[in-house]
């Protein structure tokens, strides 16, 4: 084709599309596809011959300049960012503006577009190491990227399973936990925003859903702005998160929300595995109160509460097992948690795990700072709760399960074995519980509870034996003490057998 033919062809395209570009949708898609392919070819060519990078880079910058004015072709922008990632070092160019445009505004506007979402997720996964080590993009824009998962939970769960650790750092780990727990709420908020957009675009359309009306209400805009934020660092969570959950109550049974909630436990397990492997003690101190708080503050979708709390309680045990000293540094939060009945209703399993942690790790064997004063304060928090439980049982109100009461009794007995000044108070408390349950119920579970109370009472009457049985040294499970006749364990086993039979 000679010069005159090329000029005629260019004039034909300009007359067809005008100065503003292609008018028809399929023409726009064709131009976008051609640009994506052309930039991808240039990327390959530059990989094969790096001397061409300085010559081709200005052309890419001109294309990007045009894209930045109107993000109507996000796939082209995605391809340009890939080119920048591969070759910006060769020309000492800072592509931060392009990164911010793609992962910020472009993702926020086009997360629902399947082709765009696929390209962006693939870009993140293929360049994960580069994005982690050379930029802060994944840490900065993970709230925006998670919109893709919240909108397509069935499609991209494996990819975000790979990406999740790259979102986490010392400064973002708590926010990542909050947004994972709120992922079904994010899915509902996105659905509400799309329904509201349909209503706004069609004057005759009317939505009876309260969540759409809430989204359109300017008074509720701050809560929606937070859950739909683009960047991290705007706060881990909000004070009235429960209110936002109530605003989105209409969508709790929506298929997209339910599927999203099913993927959260999988991501949470990976989150805590990463935390236990990479996190430090200071992060654990911040994490423990958040876990306890969020166990009672979850979006109300089907079976979501139970599955998430199972992950949280297992992870909490692993964190304390790795760092037992947390019972000292988080003592205020732990005492407040176990001193209130409101954390028990509907959450007995999680509450039982927290009580067990106190009984297991509030010991001088794990941290010298576990003094008699701290042990006494922990006991007083549990003692108050135990008496409240007895009062509930006597008045036939909502009663705690015998399992939880048994765990609480064992915990106060353990604390008494480590601070013998508490033994008279614990004996009185256990005696009252035993007598109370003998009166009110006569079933198998209650008999087991009464039996356990009597065992603990008889054991605490022998303080030295109780200390060895209820508070053994931390490393005792690693030895074969039961078969060594030179140590006192065989004698203690015989003693406890006689105590139980009393």
């Amino acid at each position: 084709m000679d010069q005159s033919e090329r000029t005629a062809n260019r004039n034909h395209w300009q007359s067809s599309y005008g100065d503003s570009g292609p008018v028809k949708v399929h023409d726009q898609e064709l131009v976008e596809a051609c640009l994506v392919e052309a930039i991808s070819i240039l990327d390959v060519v530059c990989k094969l011959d790096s001397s061409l990078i300085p010559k081709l880079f200005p052309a890419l910058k001109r294309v990007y300049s045009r894209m930045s004015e109107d993000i109507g072709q996000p796939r082209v922008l995605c391809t340009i960012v890939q080119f920048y990632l591969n070759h910006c070092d060769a020309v000492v160019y800072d592509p931060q503006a392009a990164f911010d445009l793609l992962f910020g505004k472009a993702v926020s506007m086009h997360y629902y577009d399947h082709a765009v979402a696929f390209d962006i997720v693939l870009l993140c996964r293929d360049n994960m190491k580069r994005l982690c080590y050379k930029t802060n993009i994944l840490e900065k824009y993970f709230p925006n990227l998670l919109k893709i998962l919240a909108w397509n939970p069935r499609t991209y769960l494996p990819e975000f399973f790979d990406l999740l650790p790259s979102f986490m750092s010392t400064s973002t780990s708590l926010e990542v936990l909050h947004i994972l727990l709120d992922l079904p709420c994010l899915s509902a908020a996105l659905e509400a925003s799309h329904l509201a957009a349909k209503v706004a675009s069609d004057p005759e359309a009317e939505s009876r859903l309260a969540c759409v009306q809430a989204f359109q209400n300017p008074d509720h805009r701050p809560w929606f702005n937070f859950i739909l934020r683009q960047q991290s660092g705007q706060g881990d969570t909000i004070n009235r998160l429960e209110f936002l959950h109530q605003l989105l109550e209409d969508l709790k049974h929506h298929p997209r929300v339910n599927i999203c909630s099913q993927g959260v436990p999988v991501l949470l397990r990976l989150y805590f595995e990463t935390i236990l492997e990479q996190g430090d003690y200071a992060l654990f101190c911040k994490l423990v109160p958040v876990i306890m708080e969020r166990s009672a503050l979850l979006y109300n979708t089907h079976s979501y509460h139970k599955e998430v709390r199972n992950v949280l309680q297992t992870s909490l045990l692993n964190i304390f097992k790795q760092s037992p000293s947390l019972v000292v540094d988080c003592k205020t939060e732990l005492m407040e948690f176990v001193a209130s009945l409101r954390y028990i209703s509907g959450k007995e399993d999680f509450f039982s795990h927290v009580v067990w942690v106190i009984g297991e790790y509030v010991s001088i064997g794990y941290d010298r700072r576990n003094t008699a004063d701290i042990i006494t304060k922990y006991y007083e928090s549990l003692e108050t709760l135990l008496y409240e439980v007895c009062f509930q049982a006597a008045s036939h109100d909502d009663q705690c399960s015998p399992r939880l009461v048994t765990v609480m009794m064992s915990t106060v007995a353990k604390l008494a074995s480590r601070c013998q000044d508490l033994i008279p108070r614990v004996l009185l408390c256990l005696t009252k519980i035993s007598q109370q349950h003998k009166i009110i119920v006569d079933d198998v579970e209650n008999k087991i509870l009464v039996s356990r109370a009597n065992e603990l009472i008889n054991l605490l009457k022998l303080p030295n034996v109780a200390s060895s049985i209820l508070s053994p040294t931390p490393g005792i499970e690693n030895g074969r003490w039961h078969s060594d006749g030179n140590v006192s364990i065989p004698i203690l086993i015989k003693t406890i057998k006689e105590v139980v039979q009393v």
Side-chain angles (χ1 to χ4, degrees), residues 243-402:
F243 178 68
L244 177 60
H245 292 172
Q246 293 172 0
L247 293 178
L248 297 168
E249 185 78 9
D250 293 351
L251 294 171
K252 67 179 181 180
H253 298 304
H254 191 281
R256 177 177 283 113
V257 176
N258 284 329
I259 294 172
C260 187
S261 66
Q262 293 170 12
V264 172
V266 178
L267 296 174
L268 281 177
R269 291 188 186 95
L270 174 63
Y271 172 88
F272 284 111
E273 287 175 6
T274 307
I275 285 291
L276 289 169
E277 182 179 348
Q278 304 291 338
D280 56 15
Y281 186 79
L283 179 59
F284 293 163
C285 288
K286 298 176 183 177
L287 194 60
V288 167
V290 172
I291 293 174
M292 293 191 295
E293 177 190 6
R294 289 309 305 267
S295 69
L297 193 58
L298 299 170
Y299 188 62
N300 188 24
T301 62
H302 178 66
S303 72
Y304 179 63
H305 286 197
K306 182 178 180 181
E307 294 176 6
V308 169
R309 286 194 188 113
N310 284 339
V311 177
L312 292 179
Q313 65 197 28
T314 302
S315 303
L316 190 71
L317 293 184
N318 292 334
I319 289 173
F320 275 97
K321 183 178 181 180
Q322 184 165 319
S323 302
S325 297
L326 289 168
V327 293
V328 179
D329 295 305
C330 297
K331 61 180 182 297
T332 302
E333 293 84 0
L334 287 167
M335 290 177 189
E336 289 178 357
F337 187 84
V338 299
S340 176
L341 283 171
R342 67 189 180 93
Y343 292 111
I344 298 179
S345 180
K347 304 173 282 292
E348 279 197 9
D349 281 347
F350 184 87
F351 192 88
S352 298
H353 281 71
V354 176
V355 174
W356 182 88
V357 162
I358 292 173
E360 183 70 14
Y361 297 115
V362 181
S363 168
I364 198 171
Y366 289 101
D367 193 313
R368 292 285 180 182
R369 294 177 295 167
N370 282 309
T371 60
D373 182 55
I374 290 179
I375 294 174
T376 301
K377 288 180 179 178
Y378 269 114
Y379 168 73
E380 289 173 348
S381 299
L382 288 169
E383 180 188 44
T384 303
L385 190 63
L386 269 172
Y387 282 125
E388 288 185 22
V389 169
C390 290
F391 176 78
Q392 279 190 342
S395 59
H396 300 283
D397 292 335
D398 294 335
Q399 298 179 15
C400 297
S401 67

Side-chain angles (χ1 to χ4, degrees), residues 194-266:
H194 273 256
L195 292 174
K198 289 181 180 179
V199 172
S201 62
D202 186 358
E204 297 181 358
E206 182 178 355
S207 178
R208 297 181 180 178
L209 291 176
C211 62
V212 176
Q213 298 172 6
F215 186 84
Q216 295 171 331
N217 189 341
D219 293 337
H220 299 152
R221 180 56 53 187
W223 292 279
F224 285 101
N225 285 343
F226 177 80
I227 198 69
L228 297 175
R229 66 195 183 278
Q230 294 183 13
Q231 300 182 22
S232 62
Q234 300 178 21
D236 298 335
T237 186
I238 51 178
N239 293 330
R240 299 186 64 186
L241 184 60
E242 188 173 5
F243 178 68
L244 177 60
H245 292 172
Q246 293 172 0
L247 293 178
L248 297 168
E249 185 78 9
D250 293 351
L251 294 171
K252 67 179 181 180
H253 298 304
H254 191 281
R256 177 177 283 113
V257 176
N258 284 329
I259 294 172
C260 187
S261 66
Q262 293 170 12
V264 172
V266 178

